[in-house]
Amino acid sequence: MASSGIIKRLDETVVNRIAAGEVVQRPSSALKEMIENSLDAKSTSIVITVKGGGIKMLQIHDNGSGIKKEDLDIVCERFTTSKLEKYEDLSSIATFGFRGEALASISHVAHVTITTKTEDSKCAYKVQYRDGKPLHAPKPCAGNKGTQILVEDLFYNMSVRKNALKNGSEEYAKIAEVVGRYAIHNSGIAFALKKQGEGGSDIQTLKDASARDNIRTIFGANVARELLDLEIEDSRLKFKAKGLISNANYSVKKCSFLLFINHRLVDSSPMRKAIESVYAAYLPKHMHPFLYLSLEIAPQNVDVNVHPTKHEVKFLNESEIFEKLQQAVDSKLLGSNTSRAFLTQTLLPGAPVTVDDQSKEPTTCHDSSKDKKIYDHQLVRTDSKERKLEAFFCTPPSEITNPSNEEKGNDKKNCDEVPQRVEIQLTSVLELREEIEKNCHAGLHEILQNLTFVGCVDQKYALFQHNTKLYLANTHEISKELFYQIMLKDFGNFGALRLSNPAPISELAMLALDNEENGWTVADGPKEDLAKYVVNLLKSKAPMLDEYFSIEIDEEGNLLTLPLLLDNYDPLMMNLPNLILRLASDVDWSSEKECFNSFCREMASFFAVPNERMFLEKSANSEESSDRSLTKWTVEHVIYANVKSQLRPPNKFSTDTSILQIANLPDLYKVFERC
């Protein structure tokens, strides 16, 4: 028998790294811990920014209570916490964290930077951490109340774990799942999730939105309209439950089960199976429901210290609580099953898309239906002489006709001639153009190429028709993507919109800083200094801005021109101050590709048809508004005409409600036949 080796005490670094690997299994598990810390800090706004699926960069920014300066030295050490003092406190724990391992674990497998400010602190403090230890004393800096945690190069020292992770898009999907679940449960808190360098957010919930509203935002209208309220309370078992569950009209191939016990996101396979056994009597075979449940159980009946990730809990009277939940769910479903609804609204995509389809230019396929007899209910009217939606509203004719040259005038600016087209060979621009093509949804592209514009519903939405289907389109989101693609397509070849009077950048920056929505605080420094910084930055970039984007800035720091993106279209000039501030603060000037991407995104947001105040009236003295181009005529004949001819719709348009199918003529006939 071989002799045993000598038992040695493991090095503390090895011990900490092994423990960290149990708590932080992937980017989404690190984010879960940080979100719970933000919630413990009473935050009302949480913003998450991600790069490379969270492996390259994962940042969370909240407006909570912050961390005291004197605590920054030990905040990333193991077993340091403000939420637990003795073991007996576990029986009444009311916070998410209690072991003091989350930040410590993250700092042992990543590079961590914490920037924080408390209510009574005059400034924020920033500290970098490695292996649980600060690399330097807290450095004072500008910042708002709350905490920002920046996690970079996750698993840089654990190559096997890093290589075993999924690709960036799959890790980002898991991050989105975590953020979505916490956003639904914490309906009084605003959540935002976005990728670094992109203007919009993939998840955006409002502070005053309800759980049902957030489900609609994240999972879609199909599930939100089929939800039933569930509420139970049992004093003997010392628990109460509330939530939203789908009725018998809704079913999917995979169960969505969002479970919170004492506000902690957990998994419980036995509970899910118990509830699904009730649905088996109501849903088709192999189909499943949507479930969101929040259970509050007496803390002394719950053991939260079961797993390092805290995703499992144990509690007393499990079988009895499961039975109560089954009875409540059965009662709800029994009451909702007296009649079935037949709704025709569906989310896109309309046509299936394969990976190969997205890499090719869309082609026109043979429509076998043309060889068949066409019945009356399959006919649609697309004759241009037919009346449009506006004919049924009391709308002044001037708003739906092409404005004359006299109305357009030239009091604000004139358009320089477009120079001879230059072929751009910059690798970064070519890569961004290629990404647009690869991300193009072939089914949606075919629909948009052959759309027939119906009319504007209101300031935000428009209707268009394709074959026998009617679609509701978010004009703001669609136009933003259109202008982003135009910025890249015409890169280095823009005409110029010349302002009638030079616009001082310093004054524009001051106007933006005076706007409360931009979040300036005293801690950010004097507005005059920030405005001066904006002027100096944009002046230093002036040659590049002029060459690539036809944005001319003179030596005095005045803005003279903007790029001409579409004929007969002017952006809202009232948004120019915000654009100037965002070009200085939100554009990544350090990297060529990220710079061009973020710059084009910001310009696209500026040019996009706004969510509000789209259709402007003439003033009382009959003088035309400077924002005269935002009319219904412009939306139809400029925006959607170019959407039809130029836009490569991204895949996200098929799921984020930017385009919704709201009616299909044959389906409507089927509904009428049942009546």
Side-chain angles (χ1 to χ4, degrees):
M1 181 176 179
S3 59
S4 301
I6 299 174
I7 297 177
K8 298 179 180 179
R9 186 185 301 275
L10 284 174
D11 183 77
E12 184 180 356
T13 302
V14 177
V15 173
N16 289 333
R17 198 170 296 175
I18 292 172
E22 294 178 344
V23 176
V24 184
Q25 299 172 348
R26 60 186 342 124
S28 57
S29 58
L31 179 62
K32 176 180 180 292
E33 299 289 346
M34 293 192 291
I35 288 177
E36 291 180 348
N37 281 344
S38 295
L39 295 173
D40 281 338
K42 309 300 181 185
S43 305
T44 59
S45 175
I46 300 175
V47 179
I48 298 103
T49 308
V50 177
K51 181 179 181 181
I55 302 170
K56 292 184 178 179
M57 189 271 281
L58 182 62
Q59 176 182 285
I60 183 168
H61 192 175
D62 66 50
N63 64 348
S65 56
I67 304 171
K68 294 181 179 179
K69 178 185 177 184
E70 51 268 28
D71 293 336
L72 287 173
D73 287 342
I74 64 170
V75 71
C76 283
E77 289 186 11
R78 292 189 70 195
F79 313 126
T80 57
T81 180
S82 62
K83 303 160 188 175
L84 190 71
E85 292 185 4
K86 54 185 184 295
Y87 182 80
E88 288 72 22
D89 291 343
L90 280 175
S91 63
S92 59
I93 194 75
T95 58
F96 293 104
F98 55 84
R99 281 196 296 261
E101 281 194 287
L103 284 178
S105 297
I106 296 171
S107 73
H108 280 284
V109 295
H111 300 146
V112 176
T113 304
I114 297 179
T115 306
T116 186
K117 181 179 182 296
T118 58
E119 183 74 41
D120 55 355
S121 177
K122 293 182 180 180
C123 66
Y125 291 93
K126 176 187 283 189
V127 183
Q128 293 177 304
Y129 297 87
R130 297 291 183 277
D131 296 325
K133 303 293 183 182
L135 299 182
H136 53 79
K139 296 180 180 179
C141 62
N144 296 325
K145 174 179 168 287
T147 302
Q148 175 184 289
I149 301 177
L150 175 63
V151 178
E152 298 176 292
D153 300 325
L154 189 62
F155 301 127
Y156 74 97
N157 52 3
M158 300 175 69
S159 57
V160 175
R161 174 70 62 85
K162 188 172 184 178
N163 293 334
L165 289 176
K166 304 289 185 182
N167 60 46
S169 60
E170 291 186 35
E171 294 302 324
Y172 184 76
K174 291 184 180 295
I175 287 173
E177 181 181 343
V178 170
V179 175
R181 292 179 180 230
Y182 275 101
I184 289 169
H185 181 67
N186 298 278
S187 54
I189 299 173
F191 280 80
L193 170 66
K194 61 181 180 179
K195 294 179 181 177
Q196 186 189 44
E198 295 191 4
S201 299
D202 293 318
I203 292 179
Q204 181 99 43
T205 62
L206 303 177
K207 181 180 177 182
D208 56 353
S210 65
R212 190 185 296 266
D213 293 333
N214 290 340
I215 290 173
R216 180 180 292 105
T217 299
I218 296 166
F219 285 92
N222 279 355
V223 60
R225 65 166 171 255
E226 305 290 358
L227 295 178
L228 303 170
D229 291 294
L230 183 71
E231 197 161 348
I232 322 164
E233 185 168 0
D234 192 301
S235 57
R236 183 180 68 85
L237 297 174
K238 296 181 180 179
F239 94 99
K240 58 181 178 180
K242 64 177 182 178
L244 294 164
I245 63 172
S246 58
N247 60 25
N249 290 334
Y250 179 86
S251 62
V252 286
K253 292 183 178 179
K254 183 179 179 181
C255 178
S256 295
F257 186 35
L258 287 64
L259 175 62
F260 289 81
I261 295 181
N262 291 352
H263 306 290
R264 189 185 306 280
L265 177 62
V266 296
D267 295 327
S268 177
S269 180
M271 187 183 298
R272 176 180 58 80
K273 291 178 180 178
I275 296 175
E276 282 204 277
S277 67
V278 178
Y279 275 91
Y282 296 88
L283 301 182
K285 192 175 182 180
H286 303 307
M287 300 301 283
H288 304 275
F290 174 93
L291 306 168
Y292 158 58
L293 288 177
S294 173
L295 274 68
E296 293 186 37
I297 304 174
Q300 62 270 23
N301 290 352
V302 182
D303 182 4
V304 295
N305 193 28
V306 176
H307 192 277
T309 63
K310 302 190 288 289
H311 75 276
E312 294 179 5
V313 298
K314 297 292 185 182
F315 52 91
L316 300 179
N317 307 313
E318 281 192 0
S319 59
E320 292 181 84
I321 291 176
F322 290 173
E323 186 177 351
K324 288 288 184 182
L325 288 171
Q326 286 178 313
Q327 292 172 356
V329 171
D330 190 45
S331 176
K332 281 288 182 181
L333 294 177
L334 189 63
S336 70
N337 200 38
T338 55
S339 64
R340 292 293 182 94
F342 295 91
L343 298 172
T344 61
Q345 178 172 334
T346 56
L347 279 173
L348 290 174
V353 180
T354 64
V355 176
D356 292 337
D357 289 334
Q358 298 182 38
S359 62
K360 300 175 182 178
E361 284 291 328
T363 56
T364 303
C365 301
H366 175 69
D367 187 355
S368 59
S369 63
K370 293 181 180 179
D371 301 329
K372 302 176 183 178
K373 179 180 178 181
I374 300 178
Y375 297 92
D376 290 343
H377 68 273
Q378 296 174 314
L379 294 174
V380 293
R381 296 185 296 175
T382 57
D383 191 333
S384 61
K385 297 189 290 293
E386 296 285 358
R387 290 193 298 172
K388 294 183 178 175
L389 192 65
E390 287 87 349
F392 299 93
F393 297 97
C394 298
T395 306
S398 61
E399 284 199 0
I400 58 173
T401 58
N402 189 350
S404 66
N405 292 332
E406 182 180 355
E407 285 178 330
K408 282 182 172 293
N410 59 359
D411 56 324
K412 184 174 68 171
K413 54 188 175 299
N414 56 67
C415 299
D416 295 346
E417 293 183 359
V418 180
Q420 185 176 357
R421 190 166 186 86
V422 177
E423 289 299 324
I424 299 298
Q425 298 299 326
L426 292 171
T427 302
S428 56
V429 176
L430 297 178
E431 287 178 355
L432 290 171
R433 290 175 178 174
E434 184 179 356
E435 288 173 9
I436 291 175
E437 294 296 333
K438 287 183 177 180
N439 195 36
C440 177
H441 191 294
L444 270 181
H445 189 216
E446 181 182 356
I447 290 173
L448 294 181
Q449 281 186 312
N450 298 283
L451 70 84
T452 299
F453 189 83
V454 176
C456 295
V457 176
D458 57 20
Q459 296 180 339
K460 183 176 181 180
Y461 294 102
L463 291 170
F464 68 81
Q465 179 180 311
H466 176 257
N467 292 337
T468 61
K469 297 177 180 179
L470 185 66
Y471 296 90
L472 182 68
N474 186 324
T475 303
H476 171 73
E477 292 298 330
I478 291 175
S479 64
K480 185 161 63 174
E481 182 64 28
L482 171 67
F483 285 119
Y484 170 71
Q485 295 184 15
I486 290 175
M487 288 292 297
L488 291 173
K489 176 184 176 184
D490 293 338
F491 191 96
N493 293 279
F494 298 106
L497 293 173
R498 185 166 298 278
L499 306 182
S500 58
N501 294 308
I505 294 176
S506 59
E507 294 183 16
L508 294 173
M510 288 295 292
L511 287 173
L513 292 168
D514 287 338
N515 187 344
E516 294 182 357
E517 294 181 358
N518 289 320
W520 175 87
T521 64
V522 176
D524 296 327
K527 293 181 181 178
E528 293 77 10
D529 292 347
L530 295 175
K532 186 177 179 180
Y533 165 77
V534 173
V535 174
N536 292 335
L537 174 64
L538 295 183
K539 282 178 64 178
S540 69
K541 308 295 182 184
M544 181 269 286
L545 295 177
D546 188 16
E547 179 181 359
Y548 293 147
F549 304 107
S550 295
I551 297 177
E552 186 178 350
I553 299 173
D554 64 18
E555 294 182 357
E556 286 74 34
N558 296 315
L559 178 67
L560 305 180
T561 63
L562 290 170
L564 173 64
L565 301 191
L566 288 178
D567 291 334
N568 298 319
Y569 183 83
D570 302 337
L572 267 180
M573 287 300 167
M574 67 176 65
N575 292 333
L576 188 57
N578 286 341
L579 171 67
I580 293 299
L581 184 61
R582 291 179 71 87
L583 291 182
S585 61
D586 289 9
V587 172
D588 183 357
W589 296 100
S590 60
S591 166
E592 181 179 299
K593 183 177 178 180
E594 288 299 326
C595 171
F596 290 150
N597 180 52
S598 54
F599 186 91
C600 291
R601 288 288 181 192
E602 294 302 333
M603 292 299 298
S605 296
F606 170 65
F607 273 87
V609 174
N611 278 327
E612 299 178 355
R613 302 184 72 253
M614 183 191 300
F615 307 131
L616 302 177
E617 305 286 350
K618 290 185 179 181
S619 58
N621 59 5
S622 298
E623 292 181 358
E624 189 70 20
S625 166
S626 62
D627 298 313
R628 60 186 177 275
S629 66
L630 296 177
T631 63
K632 294 180 180 179
W633 182 92
T634 309
V635 171
E636 176 180 357
H637 295 284
V638 179
I639 298 299
Y640 278 94
N642 282 278
V643 166
K644 186 174 181 178
S645 61
Q646 296 196 58
L647 183 65
R648 297 287 192 271
N651 287 316
K652 67 178 183 178
F653 276 9
S654 67
T655 57
D656 67 357
T657 71
S658 293
I659 301 175
L660 282 170
Q661 178 190 318
I662 60 175
N664 184 17
L665 193 59
D667 291 341
L668 289 177
Y669 269 80
K670 293 177 184 178
V671 174
F672 297 149
E673 288 171 359
R674 295 190 186 101
C675 299

